[in-house]
Amino acid sequence: MKILILASNPRKDLNLDREIRDLRGVIEKSRHREEFEVVDELAVRVGDLQELLFKHQPEIVHFCGHGGGEPGLVFESDVGREHLVSTDALSNLFRLFSSSIECVLLNACYSEEQAVAIVDRINYVIGMNQEIRDDAAIAFSKGFYRALGYACSIEQSYEFGCNAIQLEISGSSVVRSAVSETERKLGVADAVAKIAIPEHQKPILKKKPTLTPNLRASNTSPNQTLSQEKRIEIQLDIDKSLKADSKIEIQLQKETSSKKEVASRFQGFLVPNGSWIKWLTAVLCILGITGVVVKPISKLINTNFKPLLQIPLESDAEINYQSLQRTLSAKDWKSADSQTMSSLLEIAKKKRPARSSKQTWLDPKDIRELPCNDLRTINQLWSVASKNRWGFMTQSIIWQRVGGTTKTAPDNSGVRKNFSIAVGWHRADIGQFDLETLYEKLNNNPLEQHPEGYLPSAIGRYEKRQIWVGELNEFAALTWRLKQCKIFQQ
């Protein structure tokens, strides 16, 4: 699939270079990157439009620049000044290339007017229904093309683009409007009458009533449902991108106050291979210091599980989970956590008869051999009882969010510490977290006030009454087993 970027910014006030760089970046990191070709044309003039569409024959046309509502979009004239191309002219232009173009993305303010006109010719057109901030427009592009790179449809990619705006933007930014700053201030009285809407609601997807088949388009069917595994994979990729971007945001914010202060404050974190960046951004994202909001896992997981008391209690190890089911239904979290640990230790003993009965914790080998049906049953019970806040899948997603993989994390990586902070198991003074403290917090606060992944504690335990932060590599084994059992796909 070929993507043609048409960039035009005669005012020189938008960060189009960053948008193009980020767009290329998310495509290059995606799973299906070899299926995409990105071509960018800068400082596009009115007279270039036909030639560029003939030359490149794109499936997706991406315009980034300023919009002016009904009068049209802003391109450059032959002398480098602003030149508005009318809505009718744009509609007729795309009519002439409608046999090859599948989607047009107008990443400019007030471009809904053009989207409405063009969608009579093109299957999908995305425009903006109000002024949109520069950072919001860039965030939408990243989310949209990242999803396309994971074989999502145009409609699904649009949803990811809107969500990326919610995740990334904060503060103020330049807007992509053809109206000057002075003109906007003069129009304050008119603006007051308008209803302000959140940035993520400004992109509007227009769909042709009768879609024209496009044999060159390689995206999935618009009605195809994303699997659980793909949703989580894309969301984790978004989180990783946000953490990388937050490093830049932190530096810029600090530089405005004092460059010396920045240098002295960050100097203590410097370690080889730049791993301080991963440590710092992960912790700051968890604490919310950077203003970056990562999508809650309870919203990410879209379970189709039955009500708690109707969940099939399947077990390959012949374990009876009725007691755990009733205990979770009664919201007796402490007893449920204890029962979960007992069940898993019983399974480990059956799988490895030579295993010492004095070992009151699960090691990575135990976890990698957990039967899939038992792992699935326990996860479903905890997930449904906690409204997706707790359970093995939630803990595994958090492990991956802070940089964990299916392999053991090195001692100096900070992954284990960041994970313990994220799920609420961390104490600054010691490297362990006793269960009495864990359960005491349960009694004093409702479910929603506890961190996601807080329970069950079974995978994190080292001894009978402790969670040992240094031994949290068991979550690498858990993540590996969940993927082997295809529990992420449900």
Side-chain angles (χ1 to χ4, degrees):
M1 177 180 287
K2 180 178 281 190
I3 302 167
L4 173 60
I5 305 172
L6 302 175
S8 187
N9 182 28
R11 292 184 190 169
K12 314 300 182 188
D13 62 342
L14 299 176
N15 200 348
L16 301 188
D17 289 342
R18 177 190 166 191
E19 178 171 355
I20 295 170
R21 183 190 69 241
D22 288 352
L23 189 160
R24 285 182 173 277
V26 296
I27 289 291
E28 289 170 0
K29 294 175 184 177
S30 69
R31 176 181 293 175
H32 299 282
R33 53 188 173 275
E34 69 282 352
E35 298 179 12
F36 291 84
E37 178 184 358
V38 180
V39 179
D40 57 81
E41 296 286 353
L42 307 179
V44 176
R45 297 171 298 176
V46 177
D48 297 333
L49 291 174
Q50 288 187 356
E51 174 63 28
L52 294 175
L53 292 176
F54 271 127
K55 176 182 177 181
H56 297 296
Q57 294 291 306
E59 282 90 16
I60 295 180
V61 176
H62 178 110
F63 171 78
C64 48
H66 284 295
E70 186 176 355
L73 299 179
V74 177
F75 288 86
E76 289 196 16
S77 68
D78 290 338
V79 294
R81 295 180 180 177
E82 295 182 18
H83 183 108
L84 279 167
V85 177
S86 72
T87 300
D88 286 343
L90 289 168
S91 178
N92 284 325
L93 173 68
F94 286 109
R95 174 180 62 82
L96 298 172
F97 292 92
S98 59
S99 62
S100 61
I101 297 176
E102 175 73 6
C103 176
V104 175
L105 199 167
L106 305 175
N107 216 3
C109 294
Y110 299 115
S111 53
E112 183 181 12
E113 188 90 20
Q114 289 75 46
V116 171
I118 295 171
V119 80
D120 288 337
R121 321 292 187 182
I122 304 296
N123 284 343
Y124 297 96
V125 185
I126 299 171
M128 308 297 161
N129 61 12
Q130 284 192 16
E131 288 183 344
I132 186 165
R133 291 164 37 171
D134 194 32
D135 56 353
I138 292 172
F140 179 84
S141 293
K142 289 167 64 178
F144 179 81
Y145 289 107
R146 179 182 290 113
L148 274 185
Y150 281 92
C152 295
S153 69
I154 298 292
E155 294 178 59
Q156 292 164 344
S157 299
Y158 163 78
E159 295 292 339
F160 274 102
C162 293
N163 177 245
I165 295 177
Q166 288 180 290
L167 293 171
E168 292 200 41
I169 67 168
S170 62
S172 59
S173 175
V174 175
V175 294
R176 298 192 169 192
S177 170
V179 180
S180 68
E181 183 68 23
T182 302
E183 290 173 305
R184 276 200 299 275
K185 290 179 179 179
L186 291 174
V188 167
D190 292 334
V192 170
K194 296 180 180 179
I195 300 175
I197 64 174
E199 294 291 316
H200 70 277
Q201 294 180 11
K202 292 179 180 179
I204 300 296
L205 174 65
K206 300 294 182 181
K207 179 180 175 181
K208 192 176 180 181
T210 304
L211 297 181
T212 303
N214 186 341
L215 298 179
R216 296 173 61 195
S218 61
N219 56 290
T220 59
S221 166
N223 297 320
Q224 180 177 335
T225 301
L226 284 175
S227 68
Q228 175 88 10
E229 186 177 32
K230 184 172 288 186
R231 280 197 308 273
I232 292 172
E233 181 180 1
I234 295 173
Q235 186 66 43
L236 287 170
D237 190 44
I238 290 173
D239 298 343
K240 190 181 298 182
S241 175
L242 289 178
K243 289 175 184 178
D245 289 346
S246 69
K247 171 214 167 187
I248 299 173
E249 183 178 344
I250 294 167
Q251 290 175 330
L252 290 175
Q253 289 175 350
K254 297 294 183 181
E255 284 173 3
T256 58
S257 58
S258 169
K259 291 185 178 180
K260 291 184 179 179
E261 183 182 354
V262 175
S264 61
R265 184 169 298 181
F266 284 169
Q267 187 174 5
F269 293 119
L270 294 175
V271 294
N273 302 322
S275 59
W276 71 275
I277 296 173
K278 181 184 290 186
W279 183 90
L280 181 61
T281 53
V283 174
L284 292 182
C285 283
I286 292 166
L287 298 179
I289 295 174
T290 65
V292 176
V293 180
V294 178
K295 189 173 184 179
I297 295 173
S298 59
K299 302 298 183 183
L300 172 61
I301 298 177
N302 182 20
T303 56
N304 295 315
F305 299 152
K306 295 180 179 180
L308 183 62
L309 296 178
Q310 297 180 26
I311 292 176
L313 303 180
E314 298 179 355
S315 172
D316 295 329
E318 300 181 349
I319 303 294
N320 188 338
Y321 292 110
Q322 288 184 347
S323 178
L324 176 61
Q325 188 179 45
R326 289 192 297 268
T327 305
L328 284 170
S329 178
K331 309 299 182 188
D332 184 352
W333 307 118
K334 178 179 178 180
S335 297
D337 192 51
S338 177
Q339 290 173 11
T340 299
M341 187 73 225
S342 298
S343 296
L344 293 176
L345 288 174
E346 183 179 349
I347 293 172
K349 184 64 177 176
K350 288 183 177 181
K351 299 289 285 187
R352 299 165 60 190
R355 189 179 187 277
S356 172
S357 58
K358 295 181 180 180
Q359 183 177 333
T360 58
W361 64 90
L362 299 168
D363 59 37
K365 183 175 177 62
D366 293 326
I367 296 167
R368 291 191 182 96
E369 294 181 358
L370 287 174
C372 290
N373 277 332
D374 292 80
L375 196 59
R376 184 176 292 108
T377 296
I378 295 172
N379 179 68
Q380 287 185 3
L381 290 172
W382 275 99
S383 185
V384 172
S386 66
K387 301 177 182 178
N388 292 335
R389 294 187 61 82
W390 297 340
F392 295 143
M393 185 186 294
T394 297
Q395 290 173 336
S396 176
I397 294 173
I398 295 172
W399 173 257
Q400 294 174 79
R401 276 187 164 176
V402 299
T405 66
T406 56
K407 299 179 181 180
T408 299
D411 290 339
N412 64 350
S413 68
V415 171
R416 286 174 275 178
K417 180 178 180 180
N418 294 342
F419 177 82
S420 69
I421 294 172
V423 299
W425 295 351
H426 182 72
R427 284 182 59 179
D429 53 339
I430 57 176
Q432 62 192 38
F433 194 84
D434 63 273
L435 294 184
E436 290 305 319
T437 303
L438 185 85
Y439 297 145
E440 182 181 350
K441 291 185 177 183
L442 284 174
N443 297 330
N444 297 333
N445 298 298
L447 169 67
E448 290 75 14
Q449 292 186 18
H450 293 288
E452 292 182 319
Y454 193 65
L455 290 175
S457 67
I459 303 300
R461 291 199 203 178
Y462 179 62
E463 294 182 350
K464 191 171 183 180
R465 306 301 302 172
Q466 292 178 340
I467 295 171
W468 192 258
V469 174
E471 299 298 326
L472 290 181
N473 273 317
E474 280 75 6
F475 284 94
L478 175 66
T479 299
W480 179 87
R481 191 57 178 157
L482 288 172
K483 291 184 176 182
Q484 289 290 310
C485 294
K486 301 187 184 306
I487 292 177
F488 275 109
Q489 296 179 2
Q490 298 177 339

